[in-house]
PDB file of all heavy atoms in Angstrom:
ATOM      1  N   VAL A1221      23.989  -1.509   8.878  1.00  0.00           N
ATOM      2  CA  VAL A1221      22.633  -1.591   9.420  1.00  0.00           C
ATOM      3  C   VAL A1221      22.534  -0.821  10.738  1.00  0.00           C
ATOM      4  O   VAL A1221      21.616  -0.036  10.944  1.00  0.00           O
ATOM      5  CB  VAL A1221      22.236  -3.071   9.633  1.00  0.00           C
ATOM      6  CG1 VAL A1221      20.887  -3.163  10.337  1.00  0.00           C
ATOM      7  CG2 VAL A1221      22.185  -3.804   8.302  1.00  0.00           C
ATOM      8  N   LEU A1222      23.522  -1.048  11.625  1.00  0.00           N
ATOM      9  CA  LEU A1222      23.505  -0.359  12.912  1.00  0.00           C
ATOM     10  C   LEU A1222      23.668   1.154  12.738  1.00  0.00           C
ATOM     11  O   LEU A1222      23.054   1.943  13.457  1.00  0.00           O
ATOM     12  CB  LEU A1222      24.619  -0.889  13.807  1.00  0.00           C
ATOM     13  CG  LEU A1222      24.487  -2.346  14.275  1.00  0.00           C
ATOM     14  CD1 LEU A1222      25.715  -2.770  15.051  1.00  0.00           C
ATOM     15  CD2 LEU A1222      23.239  -2.518  15.127  1.00  0.00           C
ATOM     16  N   GLY A1223      24.516   1.535  11.787  1.00  0.00           N
ATOM     17  CA  GLY A1223      24.754   2.958  11.561  1.00  0.00           C
ATOM     18  C   GLY A1223      23.553   3.697  11.034  1.00  0.00           C
ATOM     19  O   GLY A1223      23.531   4.936  11.050  1.00  0.00           O
ATOM     20  N   SER A1224      22.562   2.979  10.555  1.00  0.00           N
ATOM     21  CA  SER A1224      21.338   3.610  10.058  1.00  0.00           C
ATOM     22  C   SER A1224      20.225   3.615  11.093  1.00  0.00           C
ATOM     23  O   SER A1224      19.092   3.997  10.789  1.00  0.00           O
ATOM     24  CB  SER A1224      20.856   2.871   8.795  1.00  0.00           C
ATOM     25  OG  SER A1224      21.826   2.952   7.776  1.00  0.00           O
ATOM     26  N   SER A1225      20.532   3.161  12.310  1.00  0.00           N
ATOM     27  CA  SER A1225      19.516   3.112  13.350  1.00  0.00           C
ATOM     28  C   SER A1225      18.878   4.491  13.545  1.00  0.00           C
ATOM     29  O   SER A1225      19.590   5.500  13.693  1.00  0.00           O
ATOM     30  CB  SER A1225      20.133   2.660  14.680  1.00  0.00           C
ATOM     31  OG  SER A1225      20.733   1.393  14.543  1.00  0.00           O
ATOM     32  N   PRO A1226      17.558   4.572  13.538  1.00  0.00           N
ATOM     33  CA  PRO A1226      16.892   5.878  13.669  1.00  0.00           C
ATOM     34  C   PRO A1226      17.306   6.649  14.904  1.00  0.00           C
ATOM     35  O   PRO A1226      17.352   7.880  14.887  1.00  0.00           O
ATOM     36  CB  PRO A1226      15.406   5.487  13.726  1.00  0.00           C
ATOM     37  CG  PRO A1226      15.329   4.186  12.998  1.00  0.00           C
ATOM     38  CD  PRO A1226      16.603   3.466  13.317  1.00  0.00           C
ATOM     39  N   CYS A1227      17.658   5.942  15.995  1.00  0.00           N
ATOM     40  CA  CYS A1227      18.041   6.648  17.220  1.00  0.00           C
ATOM     41  C   CYS A1227      19.311   7.451  17.036  1.00  0.00           C
ATOM     42  O   CYS A1227      19.568   8.407  17.784  1.00  0.00           O
ATOM     43  CB  CYS A1227      18.207   5.654  18.363  1.00  0.00           C
ATOM     44  SG  CYS A1227      19.513   4.427  18.093  1.00  0.00           S
ATOM     45  N   LEU A1228      20.131   7.092  16.062  1.00  0.00           N
ATOM     46  CA  LEU A1228      21.360   7.829  15.808  1.00  0.00           C
ATOM     47  C   LEU A1228      21.126   9.059  14.943  1.00  0.00           C
ATOM     48  O   LEU A1228      22.004   9.920  14.835  1.00  0.00           O
ATOM     49  CB  LEU A1228      22.391   6.927  15.116  1.00  0.00           C
ATOM     50  CG  LEU A1228      22.973   5.783  15.939  1.00  0.00           C
ATOM     51  CD1 LEU A1228      23.856   4.903  15.069  1.00  0.00           C
ATOM     52  CD2 LEU A1228      23.765   6.318  17.124  1.00  0.00           C
ATOM     53  N   TRP A1229      19.967   9.108  14.316  1.00  0.00           N
ATOM     54  CA  TRP A1229      19.708  10.168  13.350  1.00  0.00           C
ATOM     55  C   TRP A1229      18.483  10.990  13.724  1.00  0.00           C
ATOM     56  O   TRP A1229      17.811  11.551  12.864  1.00  0.00           O
ATOM     57  CB  TRP A1229      19.546   9.571  11.955  1.00  0.00           C
ATOM     58  CG  TRP A1229      20.807   8.896  11.499  1.00  0.00           C
ATOM     59  CD1 TRP A1229      21.144   7.599  11.661  1.00  0.00           C
ATOM     60  CD2 TRP A1229      21.921   9.523  10.855  1.00  0.00           C
ATOM     61  NE1 TRP A1229      22.384   7.346  11.159  1.00  0.00           N
ATOM     62  CE2 TRP A1229      22.898   8.507  10.646  1.00  0.00           C
ATOM     63  CE3 TRP A1229      22.193  10.824  10.441  1.00  0.00           C
ATOM     64  CZ2 TRP A1229      24.116   8.777  10.042  1.00  0.00           C
ATOM     65  CZ3 TRP A1229      23.414  11.086   9.825  1.00  0.00           C
ATOM     66  CH2 TRP A1229      24.354  10.073   9.630  1.00  0.00           C
ATOM     67  N   SER A1230      18.218  11.084  15.035  1.00  0.00           N
ATOM     68  CA  SER A1230      17.127  11.954  15.477  1.00  0.00           C
ATOM     69  C   SER A1230      17.593  13.406  15.552  1.00  0.00           C
ATOM     70  O   SER A1230      16.788  14.331  15.511  1.00  0.00           O
ATOM     71  CB  SER A1230      16.609  11.499  16.846  1.00  0.00           C
ATOM     72  OG  SER A1230      17.635  11.585  17.819  1.00  0.00           O
ATOM     73  N   SER A1231      18.910  13.590  15.675  1.00  0.00           N
ATOM     74  CA  SER A1231      19.479  14.927  15.767  1.00  0.00           C
ATOM     75  C   SER A1231      20.716  14.995  14.885  1.00  0.00           C
ATOM     76  O   SER A1231      21.487  14.030  14.810  1.00  0.00           O
ATOM     77  CB  SER A1231      19.845  15.249  17.221  1.00  0.00           C
ATOM     78  OG  SER A1231      20.441  16.517  17.321  1.00  0.00           O
ATOM     79  N   LEU A1232      20.907  16.109  14.206  1.00  0.00           N
ATOM     80  CA  LEU A1232      22.011  16.235  13.260  1.00  0.00           C
ATOM     81  C   LEU A1232      22.599  17.639  13.350  1.00  0.00           C
ATOM     82  O   LEU A1232      21.880  18.633  13.277  1.00  0.00           O
ATOM     83  CB  LEU A1232      21.515  15.969  11.836  1.00  0.00           C
ATOM     84  CG  LEU A1232      22.554  15.877  10.716  1.00  0.00           C
ATOM     85  CD1 LEU A1232      23.576  14.788  11.010  1.00  0.00           C
ATOM     86  CD2 LEU A1232      21.861  15.602   9.384  1.00  0.00           C
ATOM     87  N   ASP A1233      23.915  17.706  13.538  1.00  0.00           N
ATOM     88  CA  ASP A1233      24.624  18.986  13.608  1.00  0.00           C
ATOM     89  C   ASP A1233      25.549  19.079  12.398  1.00  0.00           C
ATOM     90  O   ASP A1233      26.557  18.389  12.315  1.00  0.00           O
ATOM     91  CB  ASP A1233      25.424  19.065  14.911  1.00  0.00           C
ATOM     92  CG  ASP A1233      26.012  20.456  15.151  1.00  0.00           C
ATOM     93  OD1 ASP A1233      26.038  21.264  14.198  1.00  0.00           O
ATOM     94  OD2 ASP A1233      26.449  20.725  16.279  1.00  0.00           O
ATOM     95  N   LEU A1234      25.184  19.949  11.465  1.00  0.00           N
ATOM     96  CA  LEU A1234      25.944  20.091  10.225  1.00  0.00           C
ATOM     97  C   LEU A1234      26.942  21.244  10.267  1.00  0.00           C
ATOM     98  O   LEU A1234      27.586  21.529   9.258  1.00  0.00           O
ATOM     99  CB  LEU A1234      24.979  20.329   9.049  1.00  0.00           C
ATOM    100  CG  LEU A1234      23.927  19.249   8.769  1.00  0.00           C
ATOM    101  CD1 LEU A1234      22.979  19.711   7.686  1.00  0.00           C
ATOM    102  CD2 LEU A1234      24.599  17.947   8.365  1.00  0.00           C
ATOM    103  N   ARG A1235      27.093  21.902  11.404  1.00  0.00           N
ATOM    104  CA  ARG A1235      27.865  23.143  11.432  1.00  0.00           C
ATOM    105  C   ARG A1235      29.353  22.944  11.180  1.00  0.00           C
ATOM    106  O   ARG A1235      30.013  23.816  10.629  1.00  0.00           O
ATOM    107  CB  ARG A1235      27.677  23.844  12.783  1.00  0.00           C
ATOM    108  CG  ARG A1235      26.267  24.335  13.042  1.00  0.00           C
ATOM    109  CD  ARG A1235      26.160  24.896  14.452  1.00  0.00           C
ATOM    110  NE  ARG A1235      26.481  23.901  15.455  1.00  0.00           N
ATOM    111  CZ  ARG A1235      26.803  24.173  16.702  1.00  0.00           C
ATOM    112  NH1 ARG A1235      26.858  25.431  17.106  1.00  0.00           N
ATOM    113  NH2 ARG A1235      27.066  23.207  17.568  1.00  0.00           N
ATOM    114  N   ALA A1236      29.875  21.815  11.602  1.00  0.00           N
ATOM    115  CA  ALA A1236      31.323  21.654  11.595  1.00  0.00           C
ATOM    116  C   ALA A1236      31.899  21.340  10.228  1.00  0.00           C
ATOM    117  O   ALA A1236      33.082  21.555   9.993  1.00  0.00           O
ATOM    118  CB  ALA A1236      31.715  20.543  12.570  1.00  0.00           C
ATOM    119  N   HIS A1237      31.080  20.842   9.318  1.00  0.00           N
ATOM    120  CA  HIS A1237      31.599  20.389   8.035  1.00  0.00           C
ATOM    121  C   HIS A1237      30.788  20.996   6.893  1.00  0.00           C
ATOM    122  O   HIS A1237      29.637  21.391   7.062  1.00  0.00           O
ATOM    123  CB  HIS A1237      31.537  18.860   7.929  1.00  0.00           C
ATOM    124  CG  HIS A1237      32.258  18.150   9.025  1.00  0.00           C
ATOM    125  ND1 HIS A1237      33.609  17.908   9.000  1.00  0.00           N
ATOM    126  CD2 HIS A1237      31.811  17.655  10.211  1.00  0.00           C
ATOM    127  CE1 HIS A1237      33.966  17.284  10.101  1.00  0.00           C
ATOM    128  NE2 HIS A1237      32.894  17.110  10.855  1.00  0.00           N
ATOM    129  N   LYS A1238      31.399  21.050   5.767  1.00  0.00           N
ATOM    130  CA  LYS A1238      30.692  21.540   4.588  1.00  0.00           C
ATOM    131  C   LYS A1238      29.574  20.567   4.245  1.00  0.00           C
ATOM    132  O   LYS A1238      29.775  19.364   4.169  1.00  0.00           O
ATOM    133  CB  LYS A1238      31.662  21.657   3.408  1.00  0.00           C
ATOM    134  CG  LYS A1238      31.001  22.123   2.121  1.00  0.00           C
ATOM    135  CD  LYS A1238      32.017  22.196   0.986  1.00  0.00           C
ATOM    136  CE  LYS A1238      31.324  22.631  -0.300  1.00  0.00           C
ATOM    137  NZ  LYS A1238      32.281  22.686  -1.427  1.00  0.00           N
ATOM    138  N   CYS A1239      28.388  21.107   4.039  1.00  0.00           N
ATOM    139  CA  CYS A1239      27.248  20.268   3.654  1.00  0.00           C
ATOM    140  C   CYS A1239      26.567  20.908   2.453  1.00  0.00           C
ATOM    141  O   CYS A1239      25.843  21.888   2.589  1.00  0.00           O
ATOM    142  CB  CYS A1239      26.271  20.126   4.823  1.00  0.00           C
ATOM    143  SG  CYS A1239      24.846  19.083   4.418  1.00  0.00           S
ATOM    144  N   ASP A1240      26.816  20.355   1.291  1.00  0.00           N
ATOM    145  CA  ASP A1240      26.152  20.849   0.094  1.00  0.00           C
ATOM    146  C   ASP A1240      25.038  19.892  -0.295  1.00  0.00           C
ATOM    147  O   ASP A1240      24.746  18.913   0.409  1.00  0.00           O
ATOM    148  CB  ASP A1240      27.157  21.030  -1.044  1.00  0.00           C
ATOM    149  CG  ASP A1240      27.948  19.749  -1.324  1.00  0.00           C
ATOM    150  OD1 ASP A1240      27.478  18.651  -0.955  1.00  0.00           O
ATOM    151  OD2 ASP A1240      29.036  19.860  -1.915  1.00  0.00           O
ATOM    152  N   SER A1241      24.416  20.143  -1.419  1.00  0.00           N
ATOM    153  CA  SER A1241      23.269  19.325  -1.836  1.00  0.00           C
ATOM    154  C   SER A1241      23.647  17.866  -2.035  1.00  0.00           C
ATOM    155  O   SER A1241      22.882  16.961  -1.680  1.00  0.00           O
ATOM    156  CB  SER A1241      22.676  19.897  -3.129  1.00  0.00           C
ATOM    157  OG  SER A1241      22.201  21.201  -2.907  1.00  0.00           O
ATOM    158  N   ALA A1242      24.834  17.616  -2.591  1.00  0.00           N
ATOM    159  CA  ALA A1242      25.252  16.237  -2.849  1.00  0.00           C
ATOM    160  C   ALA A1242      25.395  15.453  -1.545  1.00  0.00           C
ATOM    161  O   ALA A1242      24.954  14.294  -1.452  1.00  0.00           O
ATOM    162  CB  ALA A1242      26.576  16.234  -3.617  1.00  0.00           C
ATOM    163  N   ILE A1243      25.997  16.067  -0.544  1.00  0.00           N
ATOM    164  CA  ILE A1243      26.155  15.387   0.748  1.00  0.00           C
ATOM    165  C   ILE A1243      24.793  15.164   1.391  1.00  0.00           C
ATOM    166  O   ILE A1243      24.529  14.098   1.972  1.00  0.00           O
ATOM    167  CB  ILE A1243      27.070  16.216   1.668  1.00  0.00           C
ATOM    168  CG1 ILE A1243      28.484  16.227   1.111  1.00  0.00           C
ATOM    169  CG2 ILE A1243      27.059  15.666   3.087  1.00  0.00           C
ATOM    170  CD1 ILE A1243      29.450  17.117   1.876  1.00  0.00           C
ATOM    171  N   ALA A1244      23.913  16.155   1.284  1.00  0.00           N
ATOM    172  CA  ALA A1244      22.584  16.011   1.875  1.00  0.00           C
ATOM    173  C   ALA A1244      21.824  14.850   1.238  1.00  0.00           C
ATOM    174  O   ALA A1244      21.108  14.110   1.924  1.00  0.00           O
ATOM    175  CB  ALA A1244      21.802  17.313   1.713  1.00  0.00           C
ATOM    176  N   VAL A1245      21.979  14.680  -0.046  1.00  0.00           N
ATOM    177  CA  VAL A1245      21.297  13.579  -0.742  1.00  0.00           C
ATOM    178  C   VAL A1245      21.795  12.236  -0.223  1.00  0.00           C
ATOM    179  O   VAL A1245      21.011  11.302  -0.023  1.00  0.00           O
ATOM    180  CB  VAL A1245      21.514  13.702  -2.272  1.00  0.00           C
ATOM    181  CG1 VAL A1245      21.073  12.419  -2.980  1.00  0.00           C
ATOM    182  CG2 VAL A1245      20.751  14.895  -2.819  1.00  0.00           C
TER     183      VAL A1245
END
Side-chain angles (χ1 to χ4, degrees):
V1221 174
L1222 293 175
S1224 299
S1225 302
C1227 62
L1228 292 174
W1229 297 91
S1230 62
S1231 178
L1232 188 58
D1233 189 345
L1234 301 174
R1235 294 175 300 162
H1237 303 276
K1238 178 181 179 181
C1239 181
D1240 55 21
S1241 298
I1243 293 175
V1245 168

